[in-house]
Amino acid sequence: MKCGIIGLPNVGKSTLFNAITNAGAMSANYPFCTIEPNEAAVGVPDPRVDGLAKMFSPKKITYASVSFADIAGLVRGASKGEGLGNKFLSHIREADALVHVVRCFEDSNIQHVSGRVDPIDDVQTINLELILADLETVAKREEKARKQLKVGDKKLQLEVDTAAKVRAHLEREKPARTCDLSDMEKEVVRGWFMLTDKPVMYAANIAEDDISADEDAIPNVLALKRLAADEGAELLVISAQIEAELAGMDAEDRAVFMEELGIAEAGLDRFARTAYRLLGLISFLTAGADECRAWTINRGDKAPQAAGKIHSDFERGFIRAEVVPYDTLIREGSMSVCKEKGLVRSEGKEYVMRDGDVTLFRFNV
């Protein structure tokens, strides 16, 4: 599962990518600095893993991770191949969710492709290019379905009707993800791999001087917050430059710097967790003397699927899952106490895993 980092040129995409991954992606004050998408996996901070580690003192600690791709900046006309549009759009199509970095700071030393900082206009520029690309996709789907449609073919009729509905929505310059669709229509659209159907998080990139300010007191951030709310999208306010500086410090210096700035939690920790949630992922936990670990699964996965994340044999020979909620385990102090009190549940093949389940799988191959 991968998050693609998108936005106009010079909004801070590569700076943010460098900060969250320490991968050293080249960043510079000119468009198209990033041509091939840099990719890296990042650990998702999880205090529950730390809590289990204190209880079990394992040899190894492993956090869940999320993959990020730093995709080069889009410009007006990208859907028609302007800039490096066609190539970049294909990279966006490969992502499961999008992190849209939006510049919310003024800096005369960093040029803006539009000549002025306007977060809403920037978002609309990107969205319009993605919408135009999606309109082309939907038109082709609709035309093909209409040609193949025969009387009584409910499946193709559903595709034709869904395409017409989504096309009308896109023509109003609204992203596909905000279109009111039934479950059956959503299933049809899912197979089209549309750019504007992907879940989105807007990352409001603010100036270093605004790091301690009230978010609603920053006009550019407030405008972006309202837009995100209208779309039902996530919004995270972050200073890419500050985070890049923090990422380059050792733990002691980082703590001092954060205290001076009045930052309780690094923005990158919030960023990684929000991206993880954006992808529709949750974690179940395993704990023991060898390892305490968070395992990544899709929200809605059942116990055998979760077991398969550890090893395919676990899924193939699944018998049951022994489950205790993390909070219960921490409250009681040990797994043995939880068992004595009957707090460890035995769950079968139809059990839907919950975020934070501390789990032991029983299997037989």
Side-chain angles (χ1 to χ4, degrees):
M1 301 291 280
K2 179 169 64 179
C3 274
I5 302 177
I6 67 169
L8 292 174
N10 294 342
V11 296
K13 298 184 308 303
S14 292
T15 302
L16 182 59
F17 180 81
N18 288 346
I20 62 177
T21 64
N22 279 324
M26 182 176 64
S27 61
N29 181 24
Y30 56 89
F32 312 125
C33 170
T34 306
I35 296 178
E36 293 299 333
N38 298 282
E39 292 189 22
V42 152
V44 179
D46 192 336
R48 298 172 303 188
V49 177
D50 301 328
L52 291 175
K54 289 180 181 179
M55 181 179 292
F56 289 89
S57 300
K59 298 174 184 175
K60 184 179 179 182
I61 298 172
T62 306
Y63 297 94
S65 66
V66 59
S67 178
F68 290 95
D70 177 22
I71 300 172
L74 290 172
V75 294
R76 223 175 238 103
S79 60
K80 302 299 181 185
E82 292 295 325
L84 298 175
N86 292 331
K87 193 171 188 178
F88 297 164
L89 290 173
S90 70
H91 293 319
I92 292 172
R93 204 176 300 280
E94 293 168 3
D96 300 291
L98 301 177
V99 176
H100 188 161
V101 181
V102 185
R103 179 171 167 176
C104 292
F105 65 90
E106 299 283 351
D107 189 334
S108 59
N109 295 316
I110 301 177
Q111 62 177 320
H112 190 288
V113 291
S114 300
R116 62 192 175 91
V117 175
D118 184 338
I120 303 306
D121 185 65
D122 289 359
V123 168
Q124 289 173 344
T125 296
I126 295 290
N127 281 351
L128 181 58
E129 295 306 320
L130 302 185
I131 285 168
L132 290 172
D134 278 349
L135 271 170
E136 188 175 338
T137 297
V138 172
K140 289 178 180 178
R141 290 283 185 169
E142 185 176 4
E143 182 182 8
K144 182 179 179 180
R146 285 189 186 279
K147 286 180 178 179
Q148 297 176 342
L149 182 62
K150 297 177 181 178
V151 176
D153 190 330
K154 294 182 179 179
K155 183 177 180 181
L156 279 175
Q157 187 62 60
L158 175 64
E159 185 158 357
V160 168
D161 294 343
T162 303
K165 183 176 182 178
V166 173
R167 176 169 50 77
H169 188 77
L170 293 170
E171 286 172 347
R172 294 194 294 272
E173 298 186 4
K174 295 181 179 295
R177 62 181 171 274
T178 64
C179 188
D180 185 17
L181 301 173
S182 68
D183 289 341
M184 292 179 65
E185 289 169 334
K186 287 178 182 177
E187 190 61 33
V188 171
V189 169
R190 192 172 294 118
W192 298 346
F193 302 103
M194 297 173 66
L195 302 174
T196 64
D197 191 41
K198 300 178 186 296
V200 168
M201 169 173 61
Y202 291 109
N205 187 14
I206 61 174
E208 298 177 50
D209 293 342
D210 288 334
I211 195 70
S212 301
D214 180 357
E215 294 176 4
D216 290 344
I218 307 171
N220 285 334
V221 172
L222 183 58
L224 189 59
K225 181 180 289 189
R226 288 169 176 162
L227 182 145
D230 288 343
E231 288 189 7
E234 298 269 4
L235 174 72
L236 184 70
V237 180
I238 193 167
S239 170
Q241 190 58 48
I242 288 290
E243 298 303 328
E245 292 177 23
L246 287 171
M249 298 178 179
D250 59 35
E252 185 175 341
D253 288 343
R254 187 183 305 119
V256 171
F257 189 40
M258 288 175 63
E259 185 176 357
E260 289 176 352
L261 293 173
I263 302 174
E265 181 184 26
L268 296 185
D269 290 354
R270 294 182 290 118
F271 186 85
R273 283 199 299 270
T274 304
Y276 194 71
R277 186 172 67 247
L278 187 70
L279 288 164
L281 305 176
I282 62 171
S283 298
F284 73 89
L285 310 167
T286 55
D290 288 332
E291 183 180 34
C292 288
R293 179 166 181 165
W295 298 85
T296 300
I297 56 174
N298 294 302
R299 186 174 298 279
D301 279 356
K302 294 181 179 179
Q305 293 171 283
K309 294 292 181 180
I310 300 176
H311 197 286
S312 58
D313 284 350
F314 284 30
E315 182 173 8
R316 187 158 53 92
F318 179 88
I319 298 173
R320 68 179 183 275
E322 296 176 3
V323 179
V324 60
Y326 169 81
D327 290 340
T328 301
L329 176 58
I330 293 300
R331 184 188 70 229
E332 299 299 332
S334 72
M335 189 65 76
S336 59
V337 172
C338 288
K339 289 179 179 179
E340 289 171 7
K341 293 185 176 182
L343 298 174
V344 179
R345 308 190 312 271
S346 181
E347 302 287 359
K349 292 182 177 181
E350 295 304 310
Y351 176 67
V352 177
M353 298 293 292
R354 299 173 185 171
D355 190 44
D357 278 347
V358 182
T359 311
L360 173 66
F361 294 106
R362 300 293 184 183
F363 71 102
N364 182 30
V365 178

mmCIF file with all atom_site columns, all heavy atoms in Angstrom, residues 59-71:
data_model
loop_
_atom_site.group_PDB
_atom_site.id
_atom_site.type_symbol
_atom_site.label_atom_id
_atom_site.label_alt_id
_atom_site.label_comp_id
_atom_site.label_asym_id
_atom_site.label_entity_id
_atom_site.label_seq_id
_atom_site.pdbx_PDB_ins_code
_atom_site.Cartn_x
_atom_site.Cartn_y
_atom_site.Cartn_z
_atom_site.occupancy
_atom_site.B_iso_or_equiv
_atom_site.pdbx_formal_charge
_atom_site.auth_seq_id
_atom_site.auth_comp_id
_atom_site.auth_asym_id
_atom_site.auth_atom_id
_atom_site.pdbx_PDB_model_num
ATOM 1   N N   . LYS A 1 59 ? 13.618 -9.236  22.223 1.00 0.00 ? 59 LYS A N   1
ATOM 2   C CA  . LYS A 1 59 ? 14.890 -9.048  21.538 1.00 0.00 ? 59 LYS A CA  1
ATOM 3   C C   . LYS A 1 59 ? 14.744 -8.059  20.372 1.00 0.00 ? 59 LYS A C   1
ATOM 4   O O   . LYS A 1 59 ? 15.708 -7.417  19.972 1.00 0.00 ? 59 LYS A O   1
ATOM 5   C CB  . LYS A 1 59 ? 15.395 -10.388 21.007 1.00 0.00 ? 59 LYS A CB  1
ATOM 6   C CG  . LYS A 1 59 ? 15.668 -11.427 22.082 1.00 0.00 ? 59 LYS A CG  1
ATOM 7   C CD  . LYS A 1 59 ? 16.030 -12.770 21.456 1.00 0.00 ? 59 LYS A CD  1
ATOM 8   C CE  . LYS A 1 59 ? 16.214 -13.846 22.524 1.00 0.00 ? 59 LYS A CE  1
ATOM 9   N NZ  . LYS A 1 59 ? 16.446 -15.183 21.921 1.00 0.00 ? 59 LYS A NZ  1
ATOM 10  N N   . LYS A 1 60 ? 13.531 -7.962  19.850 1.00 0.00 ? 60 LYS A N   1
ATOM 11  C CA  . LYS A 1 60 ? 13.312 -7.150  18.653 1.00 0.00 ? 60 LYS A CA  1
ATOM 12  C C   . LYS A 1 60 ? 11.973 -6.419  18.740 1.00 0.00 ? 60 LYS A C   1
ATOM 13  O O   . LYS A 1 60 ? 11.003 -6.963  19.260 1.00 0.00 ? 60 LYS A O   1
ATOM 14  C CB  . LYS A 1 60 ? 13.333 -8.052  17.414 1.00 0.00 ? 60 LYS A CB  1
ATOM 15  C CG  . LYS A 1 60 ? 13.213 -7.339  16.087 1.00 0.00 ? 60 LYS A CG  1
ATOM 16  C CD  . LYS A 1 60 ? 13.263 -8.354  14.937 1.00 0.00 ? 60 LYS A CD  1
ATOM 17  C CE  . LYS A 1 60 ? 13.125 -7.675  13.583 1.00 0.00 ? 60 LYS A CE  1
ATOM 18  N NZ  . LYS A 1 60 ? 13.116 -8.662  12.473 1.00 0.00 ? 60 LYS A NZ  1
ATOM 19  N N   . ILE A 1 61 ? 11.943 -5.192  18.238 1.00 0.00 ? 61 ILE A N   1
ATOM 20  C CA  . ILE A 1 61 ? 10.710 -4.399  18.173 1.00 0.00 ? 61 ILE A CA  1
ATOM 21  C C   . ILE A 1 61 ? 10.481 -4.013  16.715 1.00 0.00 ? 61 ILE A C   1
ATOM 22  O O   . ILE A 1 61 ? 11.386 -3.498  16.057 1.00 0.00 ? 61 ILE A O   1
ATOM 23  C CB  . ILE A 1 61 ? 10.799 -3.126  19.036 1.00 0.00 ? 61 ILE A CB  1
ATOM 24  C CG1 . ILE A 1 61 ? 10.997 -3.490  20.509 1.00 0.00 ? 61 ILE A CG1 1
ATOM 25  C CG2 . ILE A 1 61 ? 9.553  -2.266  18.871 1.00 0.00 ? 61 ILE A CG2 1
ATOM 26  C CD1 . ILE A 1 61 ? 11.276 -2.278  21.390 1.00 0.00 ? 61 ILE A CD1 1
ATOM 27  N N   . THR A 1 62 ? 9.274  -4.253  16.192 1.00 0.00 ? 62 THR A N   1
ATOM 28  C CA  . THR A 1 62 ? 8.978  -3.944  14.794 1.00 0.00 ? 62 THR A CA  1
ATOM 29  C C   . THR A 1 62 ? 7.663  -3.182  14.701 1.00 0.00 ? 62 THR A C   1
ATOM 30  O O   . THR A 1 62 ? 6.628  -3.665  15.170 1.00 0.00 ? 62 THR A O   1
ATOM 31  C CB  . THR A 1 62 ? 8.871  -5.226  13.936 1.00 0.00 ? 62 THR A CB  1
ATOM 32  O OG1 . THR A 1 62 ? 10.064 -6.002  14.104 1.00 0.00 ? 62 THR A OG1 1
ATOM 33  C CG2 . THR A 1 62 ? 8.679  -4.865  12.460 1.00 0.00 ? 62 THR A CG2 1
ATOM 34  N N   . TYR A 1 63 ? 7.730  -2.001  14.102 1.00 0.00 ? 63 TYR A N   1
ATOM 35  C CA  . TYR A 1 63 ? 6.529  -1.185  13.899 1.00 0.00 ? 63 TYR A CA  1
ATOM 36  C C   . TYR A 1 63 ? 5.914  -1.483  12.531 1.00 0.00 ? 63 TYR A C   1
ATOM 37  O O   . TYR A 1 63 ? 6.576  -2.033  11.640 1.00 0.00 ? 63 TYR A O   1
ATOM 38  C CB  . TYR A 1 63 ? 6.882  0.303   13.978 1.00 0.00 ? 63 TYR A CB  1
ATOM 39  C CG  . TYR A 1 63 ? 7.405  0.738   15.325 1.00 0.00 ? 63 TYR A CG  1
ATOM 40  C CD1 . TYR A 1 63 ? 8.772  0.771   15.579 1.00 0.00 ? 63 TYR A CD1 1
ATOM 41  C CD2 . TYR A 1 63 ? 6.541  1.096   16.352 1.00 0.00 ? 63 TYR A CD2 1
ATOM 42  C CE1 . TYR A 1 63 ? 9.264  1.161   16.821 1.00 0.00 ? 63 TYR A CE1 1
ATOM 43  C CE2 . TYR A 1 63 ? 7.015  1.493   17.596 1.00 0.00 ? 63 TYR A CE2 1
ATOM 44  C CZ  . TYR A 1 63 ? 8.381  1.515   17.818 1.00 0.00 ? 63 TYR A CZ  1
ATOM 45  O OH  . TYR A 1 63 ? 8.858  1.898   19.052 1.00 0.00 ? 63 TYR A OH  1
ATOM 46  N N   . ALA A 1 64 ? 4.658  -1.117  12.371 1.00 0.00 ? 64 ALA A N   1
ATOM 47  C CA  . ALA A 1 64 ? 4.041  -1.162  11.054 1.00 0.00 ? 64 ALA A CA  1
ATOM 48  C C   . ALA A 1 64 ? 4.721  -0.106  10.189 1.00 0.00 ? 64 ALA A C   1
ATOM 49  O O   . ALA A 1 64 ? 5.422  0.780   10.693 1.00 0.00 ? 64 ALA A O   1
ATOM 50  C CB  . ALA A 1 64 ? 2.545  -0.882  11.154 1.00 0.00 ? 64 ALA A CB  1
ATOM 51  N N   . SER A 1 65 ? 4.527  -0.193  8.882  1.00 0.00 ? 65 SER A N   1
ATOM 52  C CA  . SER A 1 65 ? 5.146  0.790   7.998  1.00 0.00 ? 65 SER A CA  1
ATOM 53  C C   . SER A 1 65 ? 4.187  1.190   6.894  1.00 0.00 ? 65 SER A C   1
ATOM 54  O O   . SER A 1 65 ? 3.229  0.477   6.591  1.00 0.00 ? 65 SER A O   1
ATOM 55  C CB  . SER A 1 65 ? 6.445  0.241   7.388  1.00 0.00 ? 65 SER A CB  1
ATOM 56  O OG  . SER A 1 65 ? 6.170  -0.846  6.530  1.00 0.00 ? 65 SER A OG  1
ATOM 57  N N   . VAL A 1 66 ? 4.451  2.341   6.318  1.00 0.00 ? 66 VAL A N   1
ATOM 58  C CA  . VAL A 1 66 ? 3.674  2.814   5.174  1.00 0.00 ? 66 VAL A CA  1
ATOM 59  C C   . VAL A 1 66 ? 4.662  3.329   4.135  1.00 0.00 ? 66 VAL A C   1
ATOM 60  O O   . VAL A 1 66 ? 5.693  3.914   4.477  1.00 0.00 ? 66 VAL A O   1
ATOM 61  C CB  . VAL A 1 66 ? 2.665  3.913   5.583  1.00 0.00 ? 66 VAL A CB  1
ATOM 62  C CG1 . VAL A 1 66 ? 3.357  5.110   6.192  1.00 0.00 ? 66 VAL A CG1 1
ATOM 63  C CG2 . VAL A 1 66 ? 1.802  4.332   4.407  1.00 0.00 ? 66 VAL A CG2 1
ATOM 64  N N   . SER A 1 67 ? 4.366  3.064   2.864  1.00 0.00 ? 67 SER A N   1
ATOM 65  C CA  . SER A 1 67 ? 5.259  3.444   1.783  1.00 0.00 ? 67 SER A CA  1
ATOM 66  C C   . SER A 1 67 ? 4.838  4.783   1.181  1.00 0.00 ? 67 SER A C   1
ATOM 67  O O   . SER A 1 67 ? 3.651  5.021   0.960  1.00 0.00 ? 67 SER A O   1
ATOM 68  C CB  . SER A 1 67 ? 5.252  2.366   0.700  1.00 0.00 ? 67 SER A CB  1
ATOM 69  O OG  . SER A 1 67 ? 6.076  2.729   -0.387 1.00 0.00 ? 67 SER A OG  1
ATOM 70  N N   . PHE A 1 68 ? 5.821  5.641   0.926  1.00 0.00 ? 68 PHE A N   1
ATOM 71  C CA  . PHE A 1 68 ? 5.572  6.939   0.307  1.00 0.00 ? 68 PHE A CA  1
ATOM 72  C C   . PHE A 1 68 ? 6.323  7.032   -1.011 1.00 0.00 ? 68 PHE A C   1
ATOM 73  O O   . PHE A 1 68 ? 7.454  6.559   -1.136 1.00 0.00 ? 68 PHE A O   1
ATOM 74  C CB  . PHE A 1 68 ? 6.035  8.085   1.216  1.00 0.00 ? 68 PHE A CB  1
ATOM 75  C CG  . PHE A 1 68 ? 5.200  8.267   2.448  1.00 0.00 ? 68 PHE A CG  1
ATOM 76  C CD1 . PHE A 1 68 ? 5.575  7.677   3.643  1.00 0.00 ? 68 PHE A CD1 1
ATOM 77  C CD2 . PHE A 1 68 ? 4.044  9.029   2.412  1.00 0.00 ? 68 PHE A CD2 1
ATOM 78  C CE1 . PHE A 1 68 ? 4.810  7.844   4.791  1.00 0.00 ? 68 PHE A CE1 1
ATOM 79  C CE2 . PHE A 1 68 ? 3.274  9.198   3.550  1.00 0.00 ? 68 PHE A CE2 1
ATOM 80  C CZ  . PHE A 1 68 ? 3.654  8.602   4.738  1.00 0.00 ? 68 PHE A CZ  1
ATOM 81  N N   . ALA A 1 69 ? 5.680  7.649   -1.997 1.00 0.00 ? 69 ALA A N   1
ATOM 82  C CA  . ALA A 1 69 ? 6.342  7.940   -3.270 1.00 0.00 ? 69 ALA A CA  1
ATOM 83  C C   . ALA A 1 69 ? 6.315  9.442   -3.491 1.00 0.00 ? 69 ALA A C   1
ATOM 84  O O   . ALA A 1 69 ? 5.255  10.065  -3.422 1.00 0.00 ? 69 ALA A O   1
ATOM 85  C CB  . ALA A 1 69 ? 5.624  7.224   -4.415 1.00 0.00 ? 69 ALA A CB  1
ATOM 86  N N   . ASP A 1 70 ? 7.468  10.023  -3.725 1.00 0.00 ? 70 ASP A N   1
ATOM 87  C CA  . ASP A 1 70 ? 7.581  11.459  -3.987 1.00 0.00 ? 70 ASP A CA  1
ATOM 88  C C   . ASP A 1 70 ? 7.413  11.671  -5.487 1.00 0.00 ? 70 ASP A C   1
ATOM 89  O O   . ASP A 1 70 ? 8.314  11.383  -6.274 1.00 0.00 ? 70 ASP A O   1
ATOM 90  C CB  . ASP A 1 70 ? 8.958  11.946  -3.511 1.00 0.00 ? 70 ASP A CB  1
ATOM 91  C CG  . ASP A 1 70 ? 9.185  13.417  -3.806 1.00 0.00 ? 70 ASP A CG  1
ATOM 92  O OD1 . ASP A 1 70 ? 8.193  14.144  -3.969 1.00 0.00 ? 70 ASP A OD1 1
ATOM 93  O OD2 . ASP A 1 70 ? 10.362 13.829  -3.864 1.00 0.00 ? 70 ASP A OD2 1
ATOM 94  N N   . ILE A 1 71 ? 6.246  12.149  -5.881 1.00 0.00 ? 71 ILE A N   1
ATOM 95  C CA  . ILE A 1 71 ? 5.906  12.309  -7.297 1.00 0.00 ? 71 ILE A CA  1
ATOM 96  C C   . ILE A 1 71 ? 6.136  13.756  -7.713 1.00 0.00 ? 71 ILE A C   1
ATOM 97  O O   . ILE A 1 71 ? 5.743  14.679  -7.010 1.00 0.00 ? 71 ILE A O   1
ATOM 98  C CB  . ILE A 1 71 ? 4.435  11.896  -7.552 1.00 0.00 ? 71 ILE A CB  1
ATOM 99  C CG1 . ILE A 1 71 ? 4.235  10.419  -7.160 1.00 0.00 ? 71 ILE A CG1 1
ATOM 100 C CG2 . ILE A 1 71 ? 4.055  12.106  -9.021 1.00 0.00 ? 71 ILE A CG2 1
ATOM 101 C CD1 . ILE A 1 71 ? 2.794  9.968   -7.184 1.00 0.00 ? 71 ILE A CD1 1
#
